[in-house]
Amino acid sequence: MSMIEGRDFAAASTIGARMRQEDDWGTHVNPPAQEESAQLLAAVADGMGGMPAGDRASRITLRTFMDSYLAIRQPARERLRHALAHANRELGITVEAEPEFNGMGCTLVAALFFHNRCEWLSVGDSFILRCRDDSIERINPLHIYANELDEQVRRGEINIETANDHPDRTALTSVVQGKVLEEVAQGELQLVAGDVVLLASDGILTLSYEEITTICLDQIEEGAGSIASTIIRQIEAKGRASQDNATVVVWCARTPKMRKRKLPNSPMSPV
């Protein structure tokens, strides 16, 4: 665990039941920024399962993104976008030089944390979550075919059963792959003392939102390290035969004598 000015962060991951780890993550403490002093840049990449060299795709994307951010001199929002473009281009160059890796790609979520806000960016179906008080919310949209199916339901073109049962419902519609990025989500998130922000690959969905919220509330006094390790331990404890790689980077803003709060009984759904 590392700590900066009352805000601390940590990361943890598990290979799950897979043969290799296709997730990657990285952080830069006090990265350069033209705005008020930035405290932390964090990112998580998740290699596409079933495609060649998913682990390599996430590694190239993550490292190029982080290094490119440091070399670019623009405001935070544009800096993140250009760092993504550099990473996407580097992946394309790799595939062009080594055609056997054609099709490799990964998702990416990134956040640049300031004292009371963060600038974020995402491509694919990895997660940016914020736990505040007794609730949790997903901050970024997911780039999956379910969005189009649900829109077809809204237009009356298909029924909801067909949409929910579609075999490609969770298929990615945008991914870092060295090609044109079909969709990129970006925004700003306001933060207050007591907030917990998680950047995670979709392998954490072994846990429900309610379970993740409970961990954040129970462990916030101990800090980000305890939250991250508890999430991964509970995923592993489920013992699922098909458990995907799971990675989480946790940032939290603690206050003195942070009070543990009781979680309401209402269930929450992860999607």
Side-chain angles (χ1 to χ4, degrees):
M1 182 185 75
S2 299
M3 187 165 181
I4 45 176
E5 299 179 10
R7 269 69 175 165
D8 68 305
F9 68 95
S13 64
T14 178
I15 195 172
R18 300 299 172 87
M19 296 298 294
R20 61 185 181 186
Q21 176 60 267
E22 295 186 329
D23 292 352
D24 202 355
W25 64 273
T27 58
H28 281 311
V29 178
N30 298 326
Q34 291 188 359
E35 299 87 350
E36 58 180 296
S37 179
Q39 296 180 333
L40 177 73
L41 173 66
V44 172
D46 180 0
M48 291 167 60
M51 301 303 289
D55 53 342
R56 189 175 183 186
S58 61
R59 183 171 63 253
I60 292 171
T61 297
L62 196 287
R63 298 295 174 243
T64 306
F65 176 86
M66 301 296 282
D67 292 345
S68 296
Y69 173 86
L70 298 180
I72 297 167
R73 299 186 180 279
Q74 289 184 335
R77 182 171 295 241
E78 290 78 9
R79 199 169 193 154
L80 293 172
R81 192 68 173 248
H82 282 285
L84 171 62
H86 279 283
N88 189 52
R89 187 179 306 114
E90 184 65 25
L91 206 57
I93 291 170
T94 300
V95 171
E96 185 176 351
E98 303 176 69
E100 65 271 25
F101 294 126
N102 184 45
M104 74 173 179
C106 66
T107 69
L108 181 72
V109 288
L112 178 64
F113 292 92
F114 297 90
H115 178 73
N116 59 357
R117 66 183 180 92
C118 76
E119 293 280 351
W120 61 265
L121 173 148
S122 73
V123 179
D125 64 350
S126 292
F127 293 84
I128 302 174
L129 306 172
R130 177 179 62 187
C131 182
R132 173 176 290 176
D133 297 323
D134 298 329
S135 64
I136 194 168
E137 62 177 322
R138 189 183 76 236
I139 301 304
N140 61 316
L142 303 184
H143 298 140
I144 56 178
Y145 189 54
N147 298 327
E148 172 59 26
L149 291 170
D150 293 343
E151 181 61 22
Q152 290 180 28
V153 171
R154 190 191 67 79
R155 296 195 301 260
E157 297 172 2
I158 59 175
N159 60 44
I160 192 168
E161 291 78 14
T162 299
N164 290 340
D165 295 338
H166 198 287
D168 294 329
R169 183 170 178 82
T170 60
L172 290 167
T173 55
S174 187
V175 67
V176 183
Q177 205 170 17
K179 303 175 182 179
V180 174
L181 289 165
E182 297 294 339
E183 299 173 280
V184 178
Q186 197 166 6
E188 181 179 279
L189 179 65
Q190 298 301 313
L191 302 170
V192 300
D195 280 355
V196 179
V197 178
L198 303 92
L199 279 64
S201 62
D202 63 348
I204 69 161
L205 289 187
T206 295
L207 303 181
S208 68
Y209 274 15
E210 183 177 15
E211 289 173 308
I212 296 171
T213 304
T214 299
I215 293 169
C216 291
L217 298 181
D218 287 348
Q219 302 299 321
I220 192 168
E221 287 184 339
E222 283 69 35
S226 184
I227 294 171
S229 62
T230 301
I231 287 173
I232 296 303
R233 282 200 308 270
Q234 289 200 17
I235 289 172
E236 293 176 334
K238 299 276 187 179
R240 292 192 174 180
S242 59
Q243 177 61 54
D244 193 3
N245 305 150
T247 297
V248 62
V249 176
V250 177
W251 178 96
C252 64
R254 294 185 295 173
T255 59
K257 299 180 181 179
M258 184 71 74
R259 180 173 60 89
K260 292 184 179 179
R261 292 152 290 188
K262 184 178 179 181
L263 184 68
N265 292 325
S266 58
M268 299 185 71
S269 169
V271 179

